[in-house]
Every structure is written in structure tokens, then in C-alpha cells.
């Protein structure tokens, strides 16, 4: 079962962020150094690599393990745009010293997480169905 284009691009972006973060850590001297660009390198590895890999593999594997569909269409592309724009805004904002851009980047990343959570919700917790396949409405009081 092949990766869809959006999942493939998430995984490919994860590898690029891993390389950029690794280069940043080498330039800083080490993982535990206190260089001025260390937070950018760490975020490239944690948010850029780990989150993008989580997005790509999670959206690929979880629907197959649960046999429940994931929301597609333009949603994964919006999620990808928010994640990349947020990561780039954070990195540029931190390197330039613009707090507003750092916060905007963090908000973009948080929105991409919220969007992924919304997309994956029905995969992990589908609505109960009758034996004839009709959705049962859930009433929460």
C-alpha cells in the first residue's frame, strides 16, 4: 500500500527538517551548547522532523489499522501549509529577534496540530453504527 502524495510529502519534509536541524546542531557545536541559534535547530528536529513524520505516518497507518477513513480533500494540504508556515515563521522570527513572528509561527504549528486532531478523530473514535450501516446520533447531556 503506497503512501498518498500528502503523506509522502510530510515524510519527505521530515527528512529535510532532520538534516537542517542536524546541520544547525553541528554549527552550534553540540546538542547541549548554548549558541544563539540552538532553539531553531532543536525546533527543526522536534517540530520539523518529529511532527511531520508523525503527520505522514499517522495519517497513513492509523486508517489502515482501524479500517476507518480519514478526512481528505484539501484538509491535509491546509494542515501541511500551516505546519510549514509556522515552522518557517518561528525559525525566521527567532533568528531575526521578532517576537511577533515567533508567536505567529507557534500559532500556525498549533493550528496544524488541531487540524490533524480533527482529521484523525473519526479514525480513532468512529460514530457507532446500526447493523444496517446507519449512523446512530450520539446525545451528550
Amino acid at each position: 500500500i503506497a503512501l498518498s502524495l500528502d503523506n509522502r510529502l510530510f515524510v519527505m519534509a521530515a527528512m529535510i527538517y532532520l538534516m537542517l536541524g542536524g546541520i544547525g546542531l553541528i554549527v552550534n557545536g553540540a546538542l547541549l551548547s548554548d549558541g544563539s541559534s540552538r532553539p531553531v535547530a532543536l525546533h527543526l528536529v522536534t517540530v520539523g522532523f518529529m511532527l511531520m513524520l508523525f503527520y505522514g505516518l499517522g495519517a497513513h497507518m492509523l486508517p489502515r489499522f482501524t479500517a476507518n477513513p480519514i478526512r481528505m480533500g484539501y484538509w491535509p494540504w491546509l494542515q501541511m501549509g500551516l505546519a510549514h508556515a509556522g515552522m518557517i515563521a518561528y525559525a525566521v522570527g527567532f533568528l531575526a529577534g521578532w517576537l511577533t513572528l515567533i508567536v505567529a509561527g507557534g500559532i500556525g504549528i498549533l493550528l496544524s496540530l488541531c487540524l490533524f486532531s480533527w482529521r484523525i478523530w473519526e479514525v480513532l473514535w468512529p460514530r457507532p453504527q446500526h447493523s444496517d450501516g446507519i449512523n446512530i446520533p450520539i446525545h451528550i447531556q
Side-chain angles (χ1 to χ4, degrees), residues 86-99:
M87 185 66 244
I88 293 167
Y90 174 85
V92 170
F94 192 88
L95 292 173
W98 299 333
L99 182 61

Side-chain angles (χ1 to χ4, degrees), residues 6 71-82 115 118-119:
D6 58 315
R71 287 182 175 96
M72 292 300 289
Y74 58 87
W75 297 113
W77 301 106
L78 178 59
Q79 176 189 336
M80 187 180 302
L82 286 168
L115 185 55
W118 177 75
R119 287 182 61 219

Side-chain angles (χ1 to χ4, degrees), residues 6 17 25 28 31 42 45 84 86 97-99 102 106 116 132 134 136 139:
D6 58 315
Y17 281 125
L25 291 173
N28 270 327
L31 179 62
L42 291 176
V45 173
H84 288 307
W98 299 333
L99 182 61
I102 295 169
F116 181 71
D132 60 0
I134 298 172
I136 300 170
H139 299 285

